Each structure stands twice: as C-alpha cells, then as structure tokens.
Amino acid sequence: MTMPLDSEEDRRLAALARYEVLDTAPEAAFDAIVGITAQLLEAPVALISLVDAERIWFKARVGCEVPQIARDPGLCASAILASAVHVVRDASSDPVTCRHPLVTDGFGLRFYAGAPLRTPEGLRIGTLCVIDTRPRDLAAAQVELLDRLAALVVLQLEMRLTARTSEARLAESEERFRDLFDEAPIAYVHEGLDTRFIRANRTALRILGIAPDEVEGTYGKDLVPDTPRAQQRVQQALESIGRGADTSGVVLELRRKDDARPVFIQWWSRPDPSGRFTRTMFLDITEAVQMSEEKLRLEAQNAYLREEIRAEHGFDEIVGASASLVELLRQVDQVAPTGSTVLLTGETGTGKELIARALHERSPRRGRALVKVNCGAISAGLVESELFGHVKGAFTGALGARDGRFKLADGGTLFLDEVGELPLDTQVKLLRVLQEQEFEPIGGNHTVPVDVRIVAATNRDLAQAVKDGRFRSDLFYRLAVVPMHVPSLRERGADIPMLAAFFLQRCARKLGKPEPRISAEVMERLVRYPWPGNVRELQNVIERAVVLSRKPELELADFLAPLVAPLASSPVAPEGAPPSPPPATPRSSLDEALRQHIEAVLAETGGMVEGAGGAAERLGLHPSTLRSKMKKLGVRRPARS
C-alpha cells in the first residue's frame, strides 16, 4: 500500500538531506536522548526515526535490533503528517496500523507514540517515538515531555549542521541551546570531577534550592547528608565517574542548600570526552520516594492492625457508671491531650488496654496508630527485635530488614502491656528511647529518631520489683510520670449488671441466637461473685452461658458455684468503699475458693491449660498468669486423657 505523500515532500526530503545524517555512525547525544525517553516514558523501545523516500532509518534506538524498515503507513510515516504527537493506543485494532509488519509479525507491536521532528522551517523529517508490546495510553504530561524531547533531537541535528557552517549560525544555535538548557523540564548540571558546579539550568537550581549567584561556589558532595547510606551511594557513583564510566539512574538523597529539606533525585552522569568535567542530568523523585516510604509504613501498620483485629483485643466500649470508673475516665480526659507518659496499674482483665486506647483516641495522635506490645508474651531473645527492629543479617534467620514496633508507632502511641516482664537489658534500651527519643535497630550502626508516646501497663507491683532488683528504678520513674489505677471489678460492683447486659447483647448478636433474659437470681449470683479474672472473666462467663443456655432465661449452671456458694451471705461492697473479705469459715477464703475454681475448670478441660478451649481461655487469663496462680495455690494439673 502506498501512503499519500506530504505536499511539501520534495522540500522535506531536501531538508533531511541537508542534515547529512542518514547512514551515519551512532552518536552519544542521540543515544542518550532515546535512553532517557525510554526510561521517562517507561517504554521497552525508543527510536529516532528519519523518514526517507522509500525507507525509515533509525539514527538511535533502544530495544530494537533492526537499523531500518520499509516506509509502510500507520506509524512513523503517518506521524510525520500529524501536527502533534501521534498516539496509537492499540495498533492491532486500528484499521490503518493493523496490517503493519511490526504488528503482524513476531515483534507484536501494540502501542505507538511518535512526536514529529520539526525543522526550524516547519518541515517534519522524522519522529522521536516509543513502542510497547501492550496497549496503553500516555498522560498529557508525558505527551508534552515526548514533544520537548523531539525538539531536543532537532536541536542536536541543528548543532551538527551549524558546526559545519559559519560561526554566526553556530552562535545562534548555541543561544537556542542555552534557552532550551535553561528552560528544560529536566535538571542539567555541568560539574568538575571534584563535584564543583560549573553550570546548572533553572530546573536544577529550583530542585536543589540554589540561587544563580551561588552556582560557582557550590559542590555537589556538600549537599549529601551525613548518613552512612547516602554517603556510600554517592561515593560509589563518584568512583564510577573517576573510572570514566557512565552513571545511569542512580537514586541519591540530598539536602537542599537553602533550607536543608531532604530531596531525592534520580541521577545520570557522563564524563566529558575531555575528562575535565561531567555532564549530569537528574529528575526530582522526592514525592515518589516519600509516597513509597509512606506506603510501606502504612502497609506495615495495616498488617499490624489486621493482626490486632484477628487477635480480638476484648471489648470495644467502656461500660459502667460507678464512681471509680467515672473518676478514671475524668483522669483520661485530663491526661490524654498532654502527651505525658502514663503507667496503668491494676489486676489482669480489668481493661487496661481499653484505657490505653481511650488515652490515644482523645489525644492529638489519634490520626496515627496505637501499636500494642505484650512484653510478657515475647521471649527474652526476641523482645528487642520486636521493639526496635533489626537490619538484614543482624542474627541467624534475619533474612531481611524489619521495622520494630517503635518505628510503626512513630507519630502515634505505643502501648507496652505487661511492662514488668521486660528483661533488665531491654529495660536499659527502653530507658534510652524515653530519654532521647531515638533508638538503634539490632545490627544497625545509626540511630533512628522517633516521636512516640508511651502508655505502659502492669498487673505487678513495680515499686516492689524495684526493691527486689527486678526492675530499674530510673525506668520506673520515667514510666510513672502519670500513674493511673484501673479498678478491679470488685471495686466497681455497681457496674456488673450493666456489663452483663452489654456482653449478653453482643454475644447473642455474634452467635446469631435470641438474647436470653437475666433473672434476678442469676444477676445476684453475678454481683456476689468476686471475679478474680475481672471484666475479662465476666465476658467469658456470659459468652459460655449464652452458648450453652437452652431456655429463654440465661443459665449459669455451676459455672460460679465453687466461688459463689461461700459468698452467698456476703454483700457487695458499697460504691466507693473497699470490698469486704468473705467470712472466715473453713474453705471460704478467696485463695481456697480460687483454687477450687481453677481445679474445676481444669477438670472440665481435661487438664489443658492453654489453647482453644483451655482453662486459661475459659478463665480469661493469660496462660503464664494462670500457671503462676496454680503454682502459688498448689494446684496440680490432672492427667490428660
């Protein structure tokens, strides 16, 4: 098929011949342009095509082995007829290009975009084009960039031509080059081998925060931050240039000269043939790097939060109106906005994590994550890695770098549950973070600054642990800036009916069962029970009763019998007063009742302490806490069948 020729075809061919570029050897300037075009437009193939009378010859090419093709319609031959960038999204479905050899043969061309190479007289002698084997589009900014790069190709052709003509034409061309150099959307810098700036265009000055009169006194290496990673990267790049090799696409971290803000660039540099200076081009990728870092941070944070959701961190609302709870919530409202470190004390199962969440949600940090660490559930050998992270190869099994919980909580709140279980050597490192707001990952050689609020919790007597030498006194005072006591369920007996109704409604909805009624007798048993496992145990008892009840009324069966019976005549302490102990009758002490209760639950589970359906789960206790109570009370685990 013969394409219709441009009405100015004779003039166009004469202009092409005047450049004397057909069938010449490759030239670095043109090769650099197609290389940059392929990288910036993310295309596997980029070409400078010159459309001759019967053929299309490639002056420079990336991703293409053939030096020329026949002048078939649809691609470059059509692009020179267009007034703007010629884009074919899917050549296989385009009626003009679907029969083109590059589309039908093994190459499999699908996408094409070509910007005409316009001479100063307006004649289109070829194209700067990109090709892909998949259908795609170009954004408006990419179309404009391709057109500008095509203008750069023509400028290079003009420079070749004027080099063989008069000095006047050469001066005119250099002026146009200077304009294009200064106005180019890509940063250009000429540097000495010692990184001293010789010349820089406006884009480079804007990205680096350099005033025009500061160019000659600026050294590129002075803009590199004093961090091991940044220094190592720039040193490797400079060594490559010193060997006379090109440096292509290196990502460097710099600091702006005017305000020291971080800026990330993708850097290409080539030594001048004279060997006296380098020609450097770079792109500002700061926004892309920061978005990537934020994406990684959010992915790690979301992974952590998904773990937390799967682990089901107990109830999600504060329920109750007792004086002790109201006073605690008043303290939360008062302390939350301050950012001070808080130490929550109280028995296990009282809802210390819920109070920590309330502190976070009422603080200015609520837009960031509340990250939880159960210090008692992590082995001593892994607790530092969990808190501070590690670099690749820091220890056996460290196949990659991993951020710790402090990094995940940066800008937010870190909840250290069971902080009294931390090993002494880890306590030292935690103290340093609290004092200096920075830490070193395991195996790392530089510190990482963080902005984290600490909320710690414990069911131990830390003051006694300090006296016993099991907890550092300086860390204790750092944590206990604002101590807050979370009352046990025995101290807020008036809240039991409200809590029972709340858990009953939620469990019935969760299990898809009708909500059973709570009789006065059952409620009295609940109120009189001492609840050694506190709110967590109440929640588990209600859920177990909902699961097993077969009547419209909630049935407790003998869930509370070992403990309630001896307390049947003991009224609950009035609001605000400490709970009175049960009558001192044989087998009526709390320890004895607790021992019997644990033994009964162990008998029901066949001696299984932890795991699904184990005694710890039924009692609402951590397995290590249950084992400690068993040892203290002399409870022996029955042989498992």
Side-chain angles (χ1 to χ4, degrees):
M1 177 180 176
T2 303
M3 284 188 59
L5 298 180
D6 188 354
S7 61
E8 299 293 330
E9 178 68 358
D10 291 339
R11 292 179 58 207
R12 192 189 68 77
L13 291 174
L16 177 59
R18 187 174 70 252
Y19 284 115
E20 298 180 1
V21 69
L22 291 172
D23 300 311
T24 57
E27 298 178 44
F30 296 107
D31 291 343
I33 292 173
V34 293
I36 292 169
T37 302
Q39 289 189 24
L40 295 181
L41 299 186
E42 300 178 352
V45 179
L47 305 166
I48 294 176
S49 70
L50 300 171
V51 182
D52 202 1
E54 301 294 337
R55 61 171 179 159
I56 299 175
W57 182 78
F58 304 135
K59 172 58 182 173
R61 58 188 188 270
V62 167
C64 178
E65 298 297 327
V66 296
Q68 64 184 22
I69 59 174
R71 184 175 170 177
D72 293 311
L75 300 178
C76 295
S78 296
I80 64 170
L81 301 176
S83 59
V85 175
H86 180 59
V87 178
V88 180
R89 185 184 185 280
D90 187 353
S92 65
S93 60
D94 187 290
V96 178
T97 60
C98 63
R99 294 185 178 87
H100 195 284
L102 292 180
V103 178
T104 58
D105 65 13
F107 184 83
L109 181 147
R110 289 294 178 272
F111 167 80
Y112 172 89
L117 302 180
R118 302 182 190 85
T119 68
E121 297 81 17
L123 299 171
R124 297 183 284 275
I125 59 173
T127 71
L128 172 64
C129 63
V130 290
I131 294 172
D132 207 338
T133 55
R134 58 185 176 87
R136 54 178 285 196
D137 293 307
L138 283 185
Q142 293 176 309
V143 171
E144 181 182 359
L145 182 60
L146 183 60
D147 203 33
R148 283 175 175 264
L149 290 170
L152 189 60
V153 174
V154 175
L155 179 61
Q156 189 63 36
L157 289 170
E158 286 291 304
M159 290 178 63
R160 291 177 78 260
L161 179 62
T162 54
R164 301 189 304 273
T165 59
S166 65
E167 291 183 1
R169 293 287 304 276
L170 179 60
E172 181 184 349
S173 178
E174 287 179 342
E175 182 64 29
R176 286 201 302 271
F177 173 78
R178 278 194 295 271
D179 290 343
L180 183 62
F181 177 89
D182 282 334
E183 300 300 331
I186 301 170
Y188 292 99
V189 175
H190 291 170
E191 298 177 273
L193 298 182
D194 58 353
T195 76
R196 181 179 58 84
F197 278 30
I198 300 172
R199 185 182 182 187
N201 72 348
R202 294 176 186 174
T203 301
L205 299 182
R206 176 180 54 78
I207 292 173
L208 300 178
I210 300 173
D213 58 352
E214 296 176 325
V215 171
E216 293 186 2
T218 298
Y219 285 77
K221 60 185 178 183
D222 292 340
L223 304 177
V224 181
D226 190 20
T227 63
R229 186 178 182 185
Q231 290 289 335
Q232 181 183 18
R233 282 193 173 186
V234 76
Q235 189 61 36
Q236 291 172 347
L238 293 177
E239 288 174 358
S240 175
I241 292 174
R243 295 192 299 268
D246 293 355
T247 302
S248 178
V250 176
V251 175
L252 297 179
E253 180 183 0
L254 305 177
R255 294 289 184 270
R256 287 174 57 92
K257 188 170 184 178
D258 54 357
D259 56 12
R261 282 189 291 122
V263 58
F264 293 84
I265 64 171
Q266 192 168 13
W267 186 58
W268 291 264
S269 189
R270 170 171 292 180
D272 185 80
S274 67
R276 296 191 303 271
F277 63 92
T278 63
R279 296 170 178 170
T280 296
M281 178 189 76
F282 59 85
L283 298 173
D284 183 0
I285 59 170
T286 304
E287 185 176 352
V289 170
Q290 290 175 342
M291 288 177 62
S292 176
E293 291 177 346
E294 180 68 5
K295 179 173 177 288
L296 291 174
R297 187 190 70 79
L298 290 175
E299 286 175 350
Q301 187 180 96
N302 288 341
Y304 166 79
L305 292 176
R306 285 195 298 270
E307 263 183 42
E308 284 290 280
I309 291 170
R310 283 196 299 269
E312 292 188 5
H313 50 71
F315 52 88
D316 53 8
E317 294 181 34
I318 299 175
V319 177
S322 62
S324 56
L325 181 62
V326 170
E327 172 59 22
L328 176 62
L329 295 181
R330 186 195 63 78
Q331 294 179 32
V332 168
D333 282 331
Q334 186 177 1
V335 173
T338 65
S340 299
T341 303
V342 177
L343 177 62
L344 302 175
T345 60
E347 298 178 10
T348 183
T350 53
K352 294 186 287 294
E353 180 181 348
L354 195 63
I355 298 302
R357 290 182 183 278
L359 285 165
H360 175 72
E361 290 300 325
R362 288 164 173 78
S363 76
R365 299 171 180 264
R366 57 184 172 273
R368 290 297 184 94
L370 168 66
V371 177
K372 175 189 172 184
V373 181
N374 189 329
C375 303
I378 307 171
S379 65
L382 295 177
V383 66
E384 288 189 20
S385 174
E386 191 71 18
L387 289 174
F388 309 117
H390 61 257
V391 300
K392 181 179 180 181
F395 49 82
T396 303
L399 302 180
R402 181 178 184 272
D403 287 337
R405 298 298 173 91
F406 266 98
K407 186 66 179 294
L408 290 176
D410 191 18
T413 304
L414 183 63
F415 177 47
L416 298 176
D417 199 9
E418 298 188 42
V419 71
E421 307 296 330
L422 283 176
L424 284 170
D425 51 351
T426 306
Q427 294 178 28
V428 175
K429 294 191 175 183
L430 176 59
L431 178 64
R432 178 189 174 188
V433 179
L434 292 174
Q435 290 174 333
E436 303 178 16
Q437 289 286 293
E438 63 181 22
F439 67 92
E440 274 191 20
I442 296 177
N445 57 7
H446 66 283
T447 58
V448 178
V450 289
D451 174 23
V452 175
R453 182 190 193 172
I454 300 295
V455 177
T458 182
N459 56 16
R460 293 181 176 273
D461 185 349
L462 288 189
Q464 184 60 46
V466 170
K467 293 179 182 178
D468 296 341
R470 292 181 286 107
F471 202 84
R472 293 180 61 95
S473 60
D474 44 7
L475 177 58
F476 172 70
Y477 294 121
R478 278 280 179 181
L479 293 175
V481 175
V482 181
M484 298 174 67
H485 175 68
V486 182
S488 67
L489 195 51
R490 294 185 304 282
E491 298 174 78
R492 41 184 295 218
D495 290 337
I496 292 176
M498 198 181 305
L499 284 165
F502 172 77
F503 290 135
L504 181 67
Q505 184 183 53
R506 196 174 73 169
C507 290
R509 188 185 305 118
K510 170 185 171 184
L511 299 171
K513 298 183 67 174
E515 183 180 333
R517 297 188 302 274
I518 302 180
S519 66
E521 179 186 358
V522 168
M523 185 60 74
E524 184 179 0
R525 293 180 66 191
L526 292 175
V527 170
R528 291 185 177 278
Y529 183 69
W531 299 110
N534 290 291
V535 178
R536 188 183 295 125
E537 185 184 2
L538 172 61
Q539 180 183 4
N540 291 346
V541 165
I542 295 294
E543 182 170 354
R544 185 158 70 248
V546 172
V547 170
L548 300 179
S549 290
R550 290 170 291 182
K551 299 179 181 179
E553 289 190 353
L554 190 72
E555 298 177 286
L556 288 183
D558 58 350
F559 299 163
L560 308 181
L563 287 174
V564 172
L567 297 172
S569 60
S570 302
V572 175
E575 180 65 36
S580 57
T585 59
R587 304 175 63 83
S588 67
S589 71
L590 182 58
D591 282 351
E592 177 63 17
L594 182 57
R595 185 182 68 79
Q596 291 182 19
H597 187 46
I598 292 175
E599 287 176 343
V601 175
L602 283 171
E604 292 176 9
T605 63
M608 185 170 67
V609 173
E610 59 183 299
E617 183 184 84
R618 293 195 179 191
L619 292 170
L621 300 175
H622 192 280
S624 61
T625 304
L626 177 56
R627 289 192 181 93
S628 175
K629 289 183 179 294
M630 290 169 60
K631 183 176 179 181
K632 175 183 176 183
L633 299 172
V635 176
R636 294 187 178 182
R637 184 166 58 175
R640 296 182 62 179
S641 56

